[in-house]
Amino acid sequence: MYREVIDNQIANAMKNGKHVHLTVWRAIKTEFVKFQTSGAGVELTDDKEMQIITKMVQQRKDSFEQYTQAGRHELASAEEAEMKILMALLPNEPTEEDIVGAINNFLSNKAEKPTMKDMRDVMAFVKTKYPTVNGGLVSKIFRENYI
């Protein structure tokens, strides 16, 4: 999905002198190439591309927080700018109501009361519906509302 767009975006960023965009697009391309040449034997699918970009967003969030705490605001703002570009590529994060709805949908097919053993199945179901969902948030909602 993104592979087809990357080269055009790199060319556009170079033509327009958008250095931050160019850096981000090159970083994405690098991560995709690393994945393809890793020898893991796994194909680079649209889901894997989204996972890679989600990981890159999380890395930028972590760096942003560390730079902010250290008082390095110029570096923090650079990380924030890259993070915003990456986040624009991903679908919107589901709200808590969306997650609760997905969990309810999954549990409507179950006859007995849910237990912690159901966590893996619930997580897998919600992840298929919302690929970029935060697993920690799903776990928290499931434990607080259903166990």
Side-chain angles (χ1 to χ4, degrees), residues 92-104 126 130 133-134 136-142 144-146:
N92 291 335
E93 288 286 323
T95 64
E96 288 192 27
E97 292 81 27
D98 294 335
I99 295 169
V100 168
I103 293 172
N104 287 337
V126 174
Y130 303 109
V133 71
N134 180 336
L137 181 60
V138 174
S139 174
K140 177 183 170 210
I141 290 171
F142 182 71
E144 289 177 355
N145 298 320
Y146 300 95

Side-chain angles (χ1 to χ4, degrees), residues 46-108:
D46 291 347
D47 288 339
K48 289 292 181 188
E49 288 176 348
M50 253 197 295
Q51 288 175 357
I52 290 170
I53 293 172
T54 302
K55 180 181 174 186
M56 293 174 73
V57 168
Q58 187 59 46
Q59 290 170 339
R60 268 80 184 165
K61 281 182 184 178
D62 293 343
S63 296
F64 173 76
E65 291 170 7
Q66 290 175 1
Y67 287 141
T68 302
Q69 289 174 358
R72 301 292 307 267
H73 300 294
E74 68 284 350
L75 294 173
S77 65
E79 292 293 329
E80 184 178 32
E82 289 182 13
M83 182 175 56
K84 287 179 181 178
I85 294 167
L86 289 166
M87 288 175 72
L89 298 172
L90 298 173
N92 291 335
E93 288 286 323
T95 64
E96 288 192 27
E97 292 81 27
D98 294 335
I99 295 169
V100 168
I103 293 172
N104 287 337
N105 187 12
F106 175 79
L107 295 177
S108 67

Side-chain angles (χ1 to χ4, degrees), residues 5-20:
V5 177
I6 290 175
D7 291 329
N8 291 334
Q9 292 296 335
I10 289 173
N12 289 339
M14 289 173 68
K15 287 177 190 173
N16 298 325
K18 295 184 176 182
H19 299 290
V20 175

Side-chain angles (χ1 to χ4, degrees), residues 23-41:
T23 302
V24 171
W25 286 109
R26 282 182 173 165
I28 294 170
K29 186 171 184 172
T30 300
E31 290 299 318
F32 287 175
V33 169
K34 276 187 202 176
F35 182 84
Q36 289 174 317
T37 59
S38 68

